[in-house]
Amino acid sequence: MLSNQAGDGKRTSLHGHWSSKMAFILAVTGSAVGLGNIWKFPYVAGENGGGAFVLVYLACVIAIGMPVMMSEILIGRRGRRNPVATTELLGQEEGSSRNWRYLGMLGVTAGILILSYYSVIAGWTLSYIVKSATGTFVGISNIEVVADHEAFKANTGLVSMVHTLFMVITTFVVARGVERGLEQAVRFMVPALLLMMLALLGYSISSGYFGAGVEFLFTPDFSKLGWDGVLEAMGQAFFTLSIGMGAIMAYGAYLPEETSITGASATVVAADTGIAILAGLVIFPLVFANGLQPDAGPGLVFQTLPMAFGQMSGGAFFSTLFFVLLSFAAWTSAIGLMEPAVAWLVESYNRTRAQAAVIIGALIWLIGFGSVFSWNIWKDNTFFQGTVFDNLDFLTNQIMLPVGGFFIAVFAGWVMCRNSTADELGGTGTAYTLWRFGARVIAPICILIVLYFAISQVVA
Ligand code: PHE
């Protein structure tokens, strides 16, 4: 039996610790900033009419995202094990039940399912590095760029290959352990991505359609937003912040005792939201300037950006650089998606990290073919929400993450006693009071309301 009780009564992690507070913030930011910000946010905002969606998304980030993120980190640090063992341990320790482990299992499962399709889209990103570098997009027209993307997704062999490649590199890093490699990657990746987005913002401002983009993103028209859109906005808030499935809990387990959870959470939430909004401000003006449709769905950024780059001088270079950075962003997020399952396998079945990573990686890779085929051989086999990809996306983001987030907030707010949470959050000042109100009342109630109305609408 593994024991992680240190001599002073505080537990230590079995997987080592982050070397500093900065390392933790970078790792969580690396997990948060990914395809969710640059690929997903613009397309779901576009499909849901823009402004009203963005407003609801921002409200969810603040009212639900912040308290849930803090709850996840504090639970993780207090338990210092994988999410299944941590929820089980703390459930008992706080006088509730071992069955809280099912909350951890829900998270492990969500991570596996999300990564199965995340890897496919990340594979697209890898292909687009090569496409950019070989000049595919130089001077391409809007009709050609759409046709090129459609043909690409229909190429089963190629998409399978890049999905496989992405799972191999992700498994490799996870097998080596999170501290080596990951920290270095995010240290460079996040600032570089930000710079790149700022440079693109300049281009998008000069496109002459900046006003139209801003209007689309920030003028709320609530008649365009049903409860399904509100649920999608809430799901997006969870997805983009990496919360509700134990990734942040797993990272919290490696967090040094003295780091402020409130400060770290606020930094990550601000950085993540900032990058998503920036992506929207870059993409929508270019969509309108080039006569593309804002509701093009998952292919949106794979059409708009290559085309925009294709019109610029040095476009092939910048386009390549952009997709390299986006692949990095996806990579650092994918690691977070895998970590709970791998840490769980290591601790529960005494596997080495490498064995656990290969087993979980292979499982995710296999499930991923459901999404690979969603744009080609199984394209017309639709059920419930659409293709396999559509259903996985709906099930994970709009059901599993909010349900996970609900129970995480309830666990930290109601099951854990005041002393334990105050101990982790550093006292009972204003920040603590705000967090506790958020975790006990606001987050659970908002999640329930949205789930209730959205599900009654989907079922009706
Ligand atoms: N937050 C990541 C993104 O926006 C996705 C993710 C979700 C990563 C959950 C880890 C855990 O791309």
Side-chain angles (χ1 to χ4, degrees):
M1 179 67 194
L2 295 166
S3 161
N4 61 346
Q5 200 78 33
D8 58 2
K10 287 276 185 191
R11 278 180 284 265
T12 52
S13 160
L14 301 163
H15 307 268
H17 293 98
W18 301 108
S19 59
S20 65
K21 171 181 174 184
M22 196 57 198
F24 173 74
I25 292 184
L26 282 170
V28 178
T29 308
S31 153
V33 175
L35 296 174
N37 307 61
I38 293 163
W39 161 69
K40 188 139 203 218
F41 172 72
Y43 97 72
V44 286
E47 283 180 333
N48 287 285
F53 176 91
V54 175
L55 211 65
V56 175
Y57 156 80
L58 288 176
C60 290
V61 164
I62 295 166
I64 306 176
M66 190 63 194
V68 172
M69 172 158 307
M70 289 170 67
S71 305
E72 247 190 71
I73 304 176
L74 81 85
I75 294 171
R77 184 165 73 182
R78 202 159 185 83
R80 291 228 183 269
R81 293 185 178 191
N82 72 78
V84 180
T86 285
T87 44
E88 175 171 352
L89 179 73
L90 295 187
Q92 255 176 331
E93 197 170 273
E94 299 285 342
S96 179
S97 151
R98 295 184 52 188
N99 288 332
W100 280 99
R101 70 175 179 278
Y102 292 111
L103 173 57
M105 286 179 190
L106 178 74
V108 166
T109 314
I112 290 174
L113 294 179
I114 294 176
L115 186 51
S116 80
Y117 67 80
Y118 199 86
S119 166
V120 176
I121 310 297
W124 292 6
T125 312
L126 294 177
S127 287
Y128 273 63
I129 298 177
V130 179
K131 275 177 173 289
S132 303
T134 51
T136 310
F137 305 122
V138 177
I140 199 165
S141 74
N142 55 1
I143 298 179
E144 285 162 348
V145 83
V146 174
D148 183 75
H149 184 65
E150 293 304 320
F152 166 73
K153 285 184 301 189
N155 187 338
T156 318
L158 182 59
V159 179
S160 305
M161 208 177 80
V162 284
H163 159 58
T164 307
L165 179 62
F166 187 78
M167 277 317 299
V168 169
I169 61 176
T170 301
T171 305
F172 178 74
V173 175
V174 176
R176 280 172 60 91
V178 265
E179 286 141 289
R180 285 180 292 168
L182 178 61
E183 208 175 306
Q184 301 305 325
V186 283
R187 206 180 281 276
F188 152 81
M189 189 275 294
V190 177
L193 195 65
L194 195 64
L195 274 181
M196 188 81 194
M197 296 301 288
L198 287 174
L200 278 174
L201 183 68
Y203 180 69
S204 137
I205 291 175
S206 70
S207 70
Y209 282 77
F210 195 66
V214 171
E215 195 183 318
F216 181 74
L217 265 186
F218 296 114
T219 314
D221 174 0
F222 283 96
S223 67
K224 290 208 181 110
L225 196 73
W227 277 105
D228 53 345
V230 174
L231 177 62
E232 184 127 20
M234 185 171 81
Q236 174 61 15
F238 276 96
F239 182 75
T240 189
L241 295 174
S242 305
I243 54 178
M245 47 104 4
I248 302 293
M249 203 186 281
Y251 281 11
Y254 319 140
L255 180 62
E257 215 56 60
E258 59 288 351
T259 306
S260 152
I261 291 179
T262 314
S265 304
T267 312
V268 174
V269 169
D272 185 76
T273 312
I275 292 188
I277 297 289
L278 199 57
L281 286 176
V282 166
I283 284 157
F284 288 111
L286 298 178
V287 166
F288 296 125
N290 293 301
L292 293 163
Q293 293 304 320
D295 58 356
L300 184 69
V301 290
F302 292 93
Q303 300 166 5
T304 337
L305 291 181
M307 183 175 155
F309 283 119
Q311 317 301 317
M312 295 158 79
S313 62
F317 173 75
F318 286 111
S319 183
T320 312
L321 186 62
F322 175 80
F323 284 109
V324 168
L325 291 173
L326 191 55
S327 304
F328 264 112
W331 196 11
T332 53
S333 297
I335 291 161
L337 284 162
M338 236 173 119
E339 182 62 20
V342 171
W344 165 75
L345 204 57
V346 169
E347 291 175 30
S348 323
Y349 294 95
N350 272 327
R351 297 275 169 191
T352 64
R353 209 172 215 301
Q355 284 170 340
V358 170
I359 294 169
I360 301 288
L363 175 70
I364 296 173
W365 172 74
L366 266 183
I367 303 174
F369 282 93
S371 298
V372 168
F373 298 154
S374 292
W375 283 279
N376 37 69
I377 53 182
W378 290 352
K379 179 167 89 202
D380 300 318
N381 295 355
T382 54
F383 56 100
F384 188 44
Q385 295 287 311
T387 58
V388 173
F389 164 79
D390 296 324
N391 279 294
L392 280 176
D393 175 45
F394 178 79
L395 176 71
T396 52
N397 295 340
Q398 300 186 38
I399 306 293
M400 294 173 90
L401 296 187
V403 169
F406 172 86
F407 284 107
I408 286 167
V410 166
F411 186 80
W414 294 95
V415 174
M416 290 179 75
C417 68
R418 208 181 153 82
N419 283 344
S420 315
T421 49
D423 181 28
E424 290 301 328
L425 293 181
T428 52
T430 318
Y432 180 80
T433 311
L434 277 177
W435 164 75
R436 201 152 193 254
F437 186 62
R440 288 170 76 111
V441 182
I442 309 217
I445 290 185
C446 292
I447 297 172
L448 279 189
I449 293 177
V450 178
L451 278 177
Y452 174 78
F453 283 104
I455 288 174
S456 18
Q457 194 180 32
V458 169
V459 171

